[in-house]
Amino acid sequence: MQKLQDIDIRVEAPVDRLVQHGNAVPVLHEILHALRRLGETEESTTIDLRSIPFGPGDEELLLDVLGRGEVAVKLETLGVSEIYETAFAGVWIVDHRNTEGERIALQIEITRVPEILFTQVADLTDSISRLENRLRTPDGVASLSNPMNGRRRDG
Amino acid sequence: MADSNTEIKTLGESLRQRGVSRRGFLKFCTATASMMALPPAMVPAIAEALEKARRPSVIWLSFQECTGCTESLTRAHAPTIENLIFDHISLDYHHTLQAASGEGAEAAREAAIHENFGKYLVVVDGSIPLKDPGFSTIAGISNLDMLKETVAGAAAVIAVGSCAAFGGLPHANPNPTGAVSVSEIIKDKPVVNVSGCPPIPTVISGVLAHFLTFGGLPELDDLGRPKVFYGQSIHDRCYRRPFYDKGLFAETFDDEGARKGWCLYRMGCKGPMTYNACATTKWNQGTSWPVESGHGCLGCSEPDFWDGGGFYNAISIPDGDIARNIGLGAVAGVAVGAAAGMLNRNAKADAAARHETVTVDDLEKTS
């Protein structure tokens, strides 16, 4: 009986190398227009890539053209999100993942700094309260030397 | 921070009690907006609404169905945004998922109705047999009686899957059980049709998220489906659309056109007459969808798709030339929009009426 490895297999070039769907190019034009708006009027733009009908290779081409720039941030809440500025200053990739590492949102933000990176007012208030509580007791101050103390539960 | 001893009433409190920061909450809202197909600019409004969202009671009824709709939802990857939403709703009755059975289960359903009268949601999967109540019963109660009794105090009904929305497979010719959809029975409550065989899990949870967020139902199309997910045809959102516009078609599953990813129209793709979110939301954690896998759309979110004349028969082409009528140059199929949709709708109605197929010669006359 013929074994699996005896069967001739002809490897063809991946289809996505043969096909250009061209769906990344309109998004790049949209980014260019958004960059101009940001420069002229400070108006920020967010493009949700979930709503774009990409074919195989389109997203890879888009992200490849945009490249990576000087800033990359790892956000650890409800899973890890990666946020980085592309090679085009002012164009950010916001890649949200859940705790299983699966993508739950992929957006391009054309802005100076993505909104989610700013410290939120509610978190600031919470921080003040927690640090006050720590400083209120000798034990709380002593345990501050442990870098893991004071971390939020969702990290 | 909510006191853990008090009952958690809003989603904001629920998330904070889990230690989720405001920044994490914004991430949750961003993903929820994306899931609901709402523009990113709405994230602040969603955050404000979700912060105050209260925990709704949900009663899930399964009638003449294959459990594929529940599978679609529960086999969704976990834990996800959908899970957080489902953690937040109170699923008080689902006879496939619940541990209780018989009188205990029915008592839970009756208690949920009584305690949340006028405010709870009813989710239905499966069609309802009218020819003989004995075709499908639960705890000795006919599907028709259980539906009417349960819906009486509901705020709204969500018909999940093509069986509940349009009758589906049980309704296919010759319809031996006299199967009908939910909306053919329920006339005095809002009914949202989340069609598909099965529906995309994100679409199911997107509708629930909309209710949770805005306390109401999304805008619906003429078939009772949420426009945010069913507002455009598969064809108009298909990444292969540029090939259709250029007249480049796959003729078989293994020809040059198939390998190059050309349009599957001539192989029976029902994308032009099908309204659903597969082309953008995709399946299996966004991995792919039928057309991307090389198979035409079956049209499973449309009424009577089982009786459409064959999955591999090309649908009739519209009387007019789509490319000329809407103007070519619509970039990459992204913005073709409503004009083609109207043409496709007309073509669908004609095709459905005639059940005609076309030959390759017919197609070449207009492509």
Side-chain angles (χ1 to χ4, degrees), chain B residues 298-318:
Chain B
L298 300 181
C300 75
S301 58
E302 295 299 308
D304 299 324
F305 82 100
W306 289 98
D307 295 324
F311 294 147
Y312 301 101
N313 295 332
I315 57 172
S316 299
I317 38 181

Side-chain angles (χ1 to χ4, degrees), chain B residues 261-342:
Chain B
W262 290 353
C263 179
L264 300 167
Y265 184 84
R266 290 182 179 175
M267 291 165 64
C269 180
K270 304 298 185 288
M273 54 185 248
T274 303
Y275 290 73
N276 207 340
C278 302
T280 47
T281 303
K282 303 189 178 181
W283 286 83
N284 300 322
Q285 295 101 69
T287 303
S288 182
W289 61 294
V291 169
E292 191 168 340
S293 303
H295 194 286
C297 167
L298 300 181
C300 75
S301 58
E302 295 299 308
D304 299 324
F305 82 100
W306 289 98
D307 295 324
F311 294 147
Y312 301 101
N313 295 332
I315 57 172
S316 299
I317 38 181
D319 295 337
D321 183 318
I322 286 182
R324 272 202 302 276
N325 280 329
I326 65 173
L328 266 180
V331 181
V334 173
V336 180
M342 287 305 294

